[in-house]
Amino acid sequence: MARSNLKPNMEITERFINYTKFDTQSDDSSESVPSTPKQLVFAEYLKKEMEREGLSDVEMDEMGYLYGTLKANCKKKIPTIGFISHYDTSPDSSGKDVKARIVKNYDGGDIELSPGIVSSPTKFPELKSHVGEDLIVTDGTTLLGADDKAGIAEIMQAMCWLRDHNEVKHGDIRVAFNPDEEIGKGAHHFNVEKFGCEWAYTIDGGDQGELEYENFNAASAKVNIKGVSVHPGYAKGKMINASRLACEFCAMLPHDETPETTEGYEGFFHLIGMQTSTEAAKLSYIIRDHDRDKFEDRKAFFEKCARIMNEKYGEGTVEVLLNDQYYNMKEKIDPNMHVIDIVLQAMMQSGVSPKVKPIRGGTDGAQLSYKGLPCPNIFAGGVNFHGPYEFVSVQVMEKAMNVITNICEIVADYND
């Protein structure tokens, strides 16, 4: 277990690397909250850090949701706003024993993470945008955890900066850190009423300048197929091979509507897991589309495929279970575009060129927006999330921190 060597107002690089020492992977097969107990170890560490750095009203509930406040430093009436990041990391790649290191003044060439493991701009062209910067990388055996520990580091560093620069006026600023975002449950137990903000921002986006207030509508889909196992030598007219039916079901879905073949606003069906035998098969899918009507059409088509197969092989052979996960936050942000205008102004003041684009995924902010808390997503700086080639630029993290402090300063004049 990582141990705290916390000191007040540590630099953002040290703060972030400290965070990566904690293994906080979430688990989508778990029914507990948080989904893994090791997340609470890091949450306790964060709670102590928040208290030591001078935040007020610091509390953590039994599910690991952390809340705190940087108190206003002026008397005028200012909207209370918030900043949110999640502390779990993806189940897609190991988060244990992360060995983060800094590549100073990146020269644009290959980065040897470990012998035989190379991060190359020929495979990851995003590296080319960070020549001359200091990049934090892994050793090629784990993810880094910039998604979203970079966001936490940026929020904490911004709160420390504002604490130490009393000449910059601001209202009450709320911060929150939560578990289980990576498995789509991060906002499920978030207490919006307790958070008490007029609006907020998740610091959970990608590379510098990204600002997102459109995301996929999302559903999970489970397909259960019942087969009949008979000796293959005597199977004619009797066997129902669930493995083969699983392949048949997959083939019914459009081949050009997968993550590998789509971009921008294009939706998809994504097969994320399969367990098959002659007697039974289970398929796990996610269904995504930015357009709500097309999203509903995709779910209806999925169920239609099951009906067609049941007509062919017998009622009850194929069962589809659909579960909506989140919806496009744009519907809730459009009536509150001031929250976007403020970020755009803050980015320009920070020397950051805004890159407004739709999220080809989800964010806690989507669910929070539907809970009544308008909550667009701002870049945290990480690139190549969820895998061993993940990296984050120190300079981009500093820019994100600057955007946060500028937002707070701009909001201080909101009612003027």
Side-chain angles (χ1 to χ4, degrees):
M1 181 178 71
R3 299 196 178 273
S4 170
N5 60 348
L6 188 66
K7 60 185 181 183
N9 201 14
M10 64 176 71
E11 293 299 318
I12 196 167
T13 304
E14 181 184 355
R15 194 182 297 275
F16 169 69
I17 290 177
N18 248 8
Y19 294 166
T20 67
K21 297 174 184 177
F22 291 85
D23 180 7
T24 57
Q25 278 184 301
S26 45
D27 179 0
D28 60 4
S29 67
S30 171
E31 296 299 324
S32 64
V33 183
S35 62
T36 53
K38 57 190 176 184
Q39 292 183 67
L40 291 175
V41 177
F42 183 48
E44 289 284 358
Y45 173 92
L46 276 178
K47 181 175 183 289
K48 292 175 183 176
E49 179 176 316
M50 292 166 71
E51 291 168 341
R52 191 173 304 188
E53 295 288 26
L55 295 183
S56 304
D57 310 321
V58 177
E59 59 178 307
M60 183 176 79
D61 66 23
E62 68 279 3
M63 293 176 287
Y65 287 72
L66 266 168
Y67 307 93
T69 308
L70 181 68
K71 290 292 189 182
N73 62 357
C74 56
K75 301 285 189 183
K76 63 191 291 190
K77 182 175 174 57
I78 299 171
T80 299
I81 63 168
F83 297 94
I84 303 164
S85 290
H86 66 91
Y87 54 75
D88 67 313
T89 58
S90 170
D92 293 347
S93 185
S94 173
K96 184 179 181 181
D97 297 326
V98 173
K99 296 177 176 63
R101 69 180 177 92
I102 304 171
V103 178
K104 293 279 191 180
N105 191 23
Y106 171 58
D107 63 7
D110 290 354
I111 301 173
E112 185 177 63
L113 304 177
S114 287
I117 305 176
V118 175
S119 182
S120 172
T122 58
K123 186 173 183 180
F124 303 108
E126 301 88 351
L127 283 164
K128 297 176 183 177
S129 300
H130 298 281
V131 174
E133 298 175 8
D134 301 325
L135 306 186
I136 305 176
V137 301
T138 73
D139 68 351
T141 63
T142 68
L143 51 66
L144 178 63
D147 181 12
D148 188 25
K149 291 169 182 170
I152 300 174
E154 291 151 8
I155 292 171
M156 286 301 301
Q157 201 71 24
M159 296 305 103
C160 290
W161 189 91
L162 289 168
R163 176 201 66 198
D164 296 339
H165 290 79
N166 201 50
E167 73 278 9
V168 177
K169 301 307 176 186
H170 59 81
D172 282 349
I173 304 165
R174 293 282 278 160
V175 301
F177 306 126
N178 61 267
D180 289 341
E181 188 272 351
E182 295 292 357
I183 58 173
K185 299 178 181 179
H188 284 195
H189 302 283
F190 193 104
N191 192 326
V192 169
E193 183 177 354
K194 177 189 289 185
F195 198 45
C197 294
E198 295 190 34
W199 70 87
Y201 302 96
T202 50
I203 310 300
D204 189 22
D207 214 343
Q208 181 168 306
E210 290 185 7
L211 170 60
E212 300 154 328
Y213 62 94
E214 299 180 68
N215 60 279
F216 276 139
N217 297 289
S220 64
K222 306 292 185 184
V223 183
N224 298 316
I225 302 174
K226 296 178 181 178
V228 176
S229 181
V230 179
H231 188 290
Y234 306 95
K236 186 175 181 180
K238 302 173 184 176
M239 177 186 286
I240 299 177
N241 188 337
S243 292
R244 189 180 61 77
L245 267 61
C247 295
E248 184 175 338
F249 185 93
C250 293
M252 295 175 73
L253 301 175
H255 294 176
D256 59 349
E257 296 181 16
T258 66
E260 306 96 306
T261 60
T262 54
E263 61 184 354
Y265 287 95
E266 297 170 332
F268 56 72
F269 302 95
H270 178 36
L271 177 64
I272 59 174
M274 176 187 293
Q275 295 176 314
T276 71
S277 67
T278 301
E279 287 191 328
K282 294 184 178 181
L283 308 177
S284 296
Y285 278 87
I286 58 174
I287 300 173
R288 301 288 189 263
D289 210 297
H290 280 91
D291 183 278
R292 185 66 174 268
D293 291 337
K294 291 180 180 178
F295 173 64
E296 297 299 332
D297 289 344
R298 286 187 182 280
K299 292 189 293 180
F301 180 75
F302 209 83
E303 293 179 316
K304 179 182 178 181
C305 291
R307 288 197 301 273
I308 291 171
M309 292 192 68
N310 282 329
E311 290 170 3
K312 184 176 180 180
Y313 296 105
E315 192 62 35
T317 302
V318 179
E319 176 191 42
V320 165
L321 302 173
L322 292 168
N323 179 50
D324 285 2
Q325 296 170 308
Y326 50 82
Y327 302 111
N328 191 343
M329 76 169 89
K330 186 176 188 296
E331 181 180 328
K332 301 299 180 181
I333 298 297
D334 278 346
N336 297 283
M337 284 301 290
H338 62 281
V339 306
I340 301 299
D341 295 337
I342 288 168
V343 181
L344 295 174
Q345 183 181 345
M347 285 188 178
M348 297 304 290
Q349 290 181 0
S350 303
V352 173
S353 297
K355 300 173 185 174
V356 181
K357 65 184 190 68
I359 308 172
R360 285 185 60 79
T363 171
D364 284 336
Q367 296 182 49
L368 293 173
S369 294
Y370 278 86
K371 283 186 165 188
L373 180 68
C375 196
N377 192 38
I378 299 173
F379 72 95
V383 182
N384 297 334
F385 291 154
H386 298 187
Y389 299 97
E390 183 183 7
F391 71 89
V392 65
S393 162
V394 173
Q395 285 77 12
V396 174
M397 291 176 68
E398 290 171 343
K399 287 289 189 181
M401 185 203 82
N402 291 340
V403 169
I404 294 169
T405 58
N406 281 331
I407 287 172
C408 297
E409 188 173 9
I410 292 165
V411 172
D413 296 327
Y414 181 74
N415 288 325
D416 289 354

